[in-house]
Amino acid sequence: ASESALKAFGLARDQLIGSDVMALAPDSERAAVLQMVKGMQPGDSRRFTGRRRRSDGSIFFIEGSVGLLEIQGRRYFHSVATDVTQAREVQARMQQAASVFELAPAAIVVCNKALEVVSVNPAFTAITGYAPEEVLGVAVEALTTGADPGKNAMMVSAVLENDFWEGELEGRRKNGQTYPRHMLATAHRDAAGDVYQYVGMFTDLTALREAQTRAAYHANHDQLTGLPNRAALATALAEA
């Protein structure tokens, strides 16, 4: 047994040598192990993916191959495998992140360090009207232009200087219509501290603003006549 095998199983060499190989697999995996080696002949080799059990009872994932040798009339199984537990965890996190990216109700824009768009999610298209192929490679500044260029420039400057900005910012849809949005933008840095991408997320506040406008109107106008009510009169007198 190699040192890496001893480390993977958490066993000393004298504990592993001579032990029942089936004891290294969880109960649920033992039938698969037996099926894998069933019918193997000297010189055969088979690939496998499975779970194994450490000495502390924890489970880890491995990928590798098992072969059968015959030496002086005796047959020996030999196996080379890699612990892929961490790789699987990373893959699972990436799949979760991809799922969030695709299903998020907020628009998400990913830019490279040159501030060029490299990815957008479906919500971005739904809010702005731009298809992914229309914005990929485009400078993000061209997409952030709203009714207030100065505030857009301030947002970009804040992210470049502080790695973060959050607030309300007007955007412009593909059809030229401007709309209010709540936006969060961040810079992502690698282990060396260098920026490798920027990510922006925003939600369309149009429906919220319209609801607020309706609520304010109903609070200050009679429901039947539409005329200003006592609350509106009181407000007008207070401001006079």
Side-chain angles (χ1 to χ4, degrees), residues 139-216:
V140 71
E141 188 175 358
L143 302 177
T144 58
T145 301
D148 190 348
K151 193 170 184 180
N152 278 285
M154 177 273 295
M155 179 272 292
V156 173
S157 178
V159 175
L160 292 177
E161 293 179 10
N162 306 313
D163 292 352
F164 180 83
W165 185 86
E166 182 177 10
E168 289 191 17
L169 196 64
E170 210 160 35
R172 191 181 300 276
R173 306 186 204 277
K174 182 180 178 180
N175 63 10
Q177 178 189 40
T178 59
Y179 63 100
R181 57 183 177 171
H182 181 268
M183 185 167 186
L184 183 152
T186 62
H188 291 182
R189 296 181 179 273
D190 58 24
D194 298 321
V195 172
Y196 66 93
Q197 70 176 18
Y198 297 93
V199 177
M201 297 178 61
F202 60 88
T203 53
D204 186 348
L205 299 178
T206 302
L208 175 62
R209 292 290 179 265
E210 291 175 348
Q212 291 173 335
T213 299
R214 288 194 300 271

Side-chain angles (χ1 to χ4, degrees), residues 1 10 15 21 23 34-35 55 60-61 74 92 97 107 124 134 150 157-158 182 190-191 205 229 235:
Q15 293 176 302
V21 69
L34 290 174
Q35 184 63 33
S55 60
F60 65 103
F61 291 87
R74 300 188 64 178
F124 173 88
E134 294 179 291
S157 178
H182 181 268
D190 58 24
L205 299 178
N229 59 17
T235 300

Side-chain angles (χ1 to χ4, degrees), residues 106-130:
I108 302 175
V109 185
V110 181
C111 301
N112 57 25
K113 60 183 180 181
L115 292 176
E116 298 166 336
V117 177
V118 297
S119 184
V120 295
N121 70 339
F124 173 88
T125 298
I127 292 173
T128 68
Y130 286 105

Side-chain angles (χ1 to χ4, degrees), residues 64-130:
S65 63
V66 61
L68 182 62
L69 295 175
E70 184 170 357
I71 303 176
Q72 297 180 346
R74 300 188 64 178
R75 294 185 174 185
Y76 301 88
F77 286 104
H78 63 94
S79 179
V80 177
T82 302
D83 183 345
V84 295
T85 305
Q86 186 174 9
R88 281 182 168 237
E89 291 173 350
V90 170
Q91 183 181 35
R93 288 196 294 270
M94 292 178 65
Q95 290 173 340
Q96 291 172 351
S99 178
V100 170
F101 183 83
E102 290 295 319
L103 301 176
I108 302 175
V109 185
V110 181
C111 301
N112 57 25
K113 60 183 180 181
L115 292 176
E116 298 166 336
V117 177
V118 297
S119 184
V120 295
N121 70 339
F124 173 88
T125 298
I127 292 173
T128 68
Y130 286 105

Side-chain angles (χ1 to χ4, degrees), residues 20-22 25 27-40 46 52 77:
D20 180 5
V21 69
M22 296 302 293
D27 294 344
S28 59
E29 292 279 318
R30 294 181 181 181
V33 173
L34 290 174
Q35 184 63 33
M36 176 180 62
V37 299
K38 183 179 180 180
M40 286 186 68
R46 295 177 181 175
R52 297 296 181 265
F77 286 104

